Amino acid sequence: MENNRRFIAGLALALGLCFAAPASAQRARTPLPAVAKTKAAKKNRDKRIESYRQHYLKKKAEGRVGVLSPKKAKAEKEIRDLALKLNAALKAKPATKPILIVLEGMDGAGKSSTIRRLLPAFDGARNVGVEHFGAPEAGTDAVQQVMRYLQKVPVQGSVTIWDRSWYGPARYQDDGSIRPSVKGAKEAIRDVRHLEGLLKNKVEIVKIYLDIGKDRQAKTLGKREALKPEKLGDADYQAYRQHGEIRALDKQIRARTGKASPWHVVSMNDRAAGRKQMLQILHKTLIGE
């Protein structure tokens, strides 16, 4: 009788293993979040985004999300060491001008996560704040647009980091769509050049453009679909589709707005390398070494 029970239990286990869906199939059946099922998302999603979504679903299932590999841990330490080096240099240098750090770049370039790694460079050395500029409220006129940014310019002894900036109107039309060419941005570009010219001798402005390729943008979309779908919207998928046009437009805008304050273009395809380069740029610009 005991042998029969063992035989039946073994047979059941074997059958269960035979007919159980493989892990990859189970992950493939993980439904898309609602945001990835919208009309805009369906139109603009592709195999690259889905491939990265599957990659991060696998990492999540294996409990590896947020776990740093030795290589990434080393890179994060190097980033923090550069931030602390700048911090020490700023503490030893009198504050002569307020500092405005402008971060621009396409959706998915890693601006928010990069800002978190920049903040230790100023902690205790300067009063530091962060401003995020989304789309202006409907009905905002030209004067309100200008004041929206001027009110967030830092004062003596402080540092302000802008996540997006007064370059928004140069990139986007009033309805929120991407400008087809730089021709339609003449007025917005003129305003930016005028404002930066006025502030040139009063504020230390450091402008950094975070550049990414389309594959890196796909990786960000796939990761957010798998882990943080609440951070996605239709605009993210539309920006992915228009990657080439946005990148070309931004390049033209930078070429017309780098006189008063030069642009620094940093590739963020490798996040760690980009953040290290960014801290080196800040050190050289603010300290002069």
Side-chain angles (χ1 to χ4, degrees):
M1 180 68 71
E2 181 63 27
N3 288 338
N4 286 341
R5 280 199 295 269
R6 289 178 179 175
F7 173 77
I8 292 170
L11 180 62
L13 177 61
L15 288 171
L17 291 174
C18 289
F19 290 102
S24 61
Q26 290 174 345
R27 287 194 301 274
R29 289 200 297 270
T30 301
L32 285 169
V35 69
K37 296 178 183 178
T38 64
K39 186 176 180 181
K42 287 180 178 178
K43 182 179 179 181
N44 300 313
R45 283 187 91 250
D46 60 19
K47 292 180 180 178
R48 278 190 290 191
I49 295 175
E50 180 60 21
S51 175
Y52 281 120
R53 184 176 82 97
Q54 293 298 332
H55 169 74
Y56 283 102
L57 286 173
K58 179 182 178 182
K59 286 188 70 172
K60 182 178 180 181
E62 295 172 351
R64 294 189 293 118
V65 173
V67 179
L68 294 180
S69 67
K71 181 180 178 181
K72 287 188 176 182
K74 180 183 177 183
E76 287 295 335
K77 182 180 183 304
E78 290 171 347
I79 291 168
R80 182 159 183 84
D81 286 347
L82 286 170
L84 294 178
K85 180 182 177 182
L86 175 56
N87 183 271
L90 286 169
K91 285 179 178 177
K93 181 178 180 179
T96 55
K97 290 182 184 179
I99 299 167
L100 173 60
I101 301 171
V102 175
L103 297 187
E104 278 289 350
M106 285 184 285
D107 293 333
K111 292 184 290 297
S112 296
S113 55
T114 295
I115 288 171
R116 290 198 299 272
R117 289 162 175 84
L118 296 182
L119 290 176
F122 306 101
D123 187 29
R126 302 285 190 277
N127 295 321
V128 60
V130 180
E131 296 293 339
H132 301 269
F133 292 105
E137 294 182 8
T140 302
D141 62 27
V143 174
Q144 290 171 318
Q145 275 275 35
V146 171
M147 293 305 299
R148 179 179 182 228
Y149 300 109
L150 284 179
Q151 289 169 353
K152 303 299 182 180
V153 171
V155 297
Q156 184 65 24
S158 66
V159 178
T160 302
I161 304 174
W162 283 3
D163 179 350
R164 297 201 181 281
S165 66
W166 42 37
Y167 285 91
R171 182 188 291 122
Y172 299 104
Q173 301 183 104
D174 291 341
D175 62 0
S177 62
I178 298 296
R179 293 188 185 279
S181 73
V182 76
K183 291 180 180 179
K186 286 182 178 180
E187 185 176 347
I189 288 173
R190 182 202 64 202
D191 289 345
V192 169
R193 290 169 64 177
H194 181 63
L195 290 169
E196 290 184 356
L198 287 173
L199 293 173
K200 182 179 179 180
N201 297 319
K202 301 174 180 67
V203 179
E204 185 74 58
I205 303 176
V206 187
K207 300 187 308 195
I208 302 176
Y209 185 86
L210 284 63
D211 190 35
I212 54 170
K214 193 165 185 176
D215 187 71
R216 192 61 184 79
Q217 196 174 18
K219 184 175 182 179
T220 298
L221 288 171
K223 181 178 182 179
R224 288 179 180 173
E225 285 183 352
L227 307 178
K228 295 182 178 180
E230 69 278 3
K231 294 186 71 176
L232 287 174
D234 286 351
D236 295 287
Y237 294 101
Q238 291 164 356
Y240 178 67
R241 177 175 60 84
Q242 294 180 286
H243 178 274
E245 296 97 308
I246 296 172
R247 204 175 187 188
L249 179 62
D250 285 353
K251 185 176 181 180
Q252 294 176 62
I253 292 171
R254 292 197 307 271
R256 289 162 172 77
T257 56
K259 187 174 181 180
S261 300
W263 280 102
H264 303 275
V265 180
V266 174
S267 172
M268 293 298 286
N269 290 327
D270 180 331
R271 291 284 202 261
R275 286 163 183 157
K276 283 186 250 183
Q277 183 185 352
M278 211 175 301
L279 282 160
Q280 290 164 349
I281 289 168
L282 288 172
H283 198 112
K284 185 175 181 179
T285 305
L286 302 178
I287 305 301
E289 302 173 359

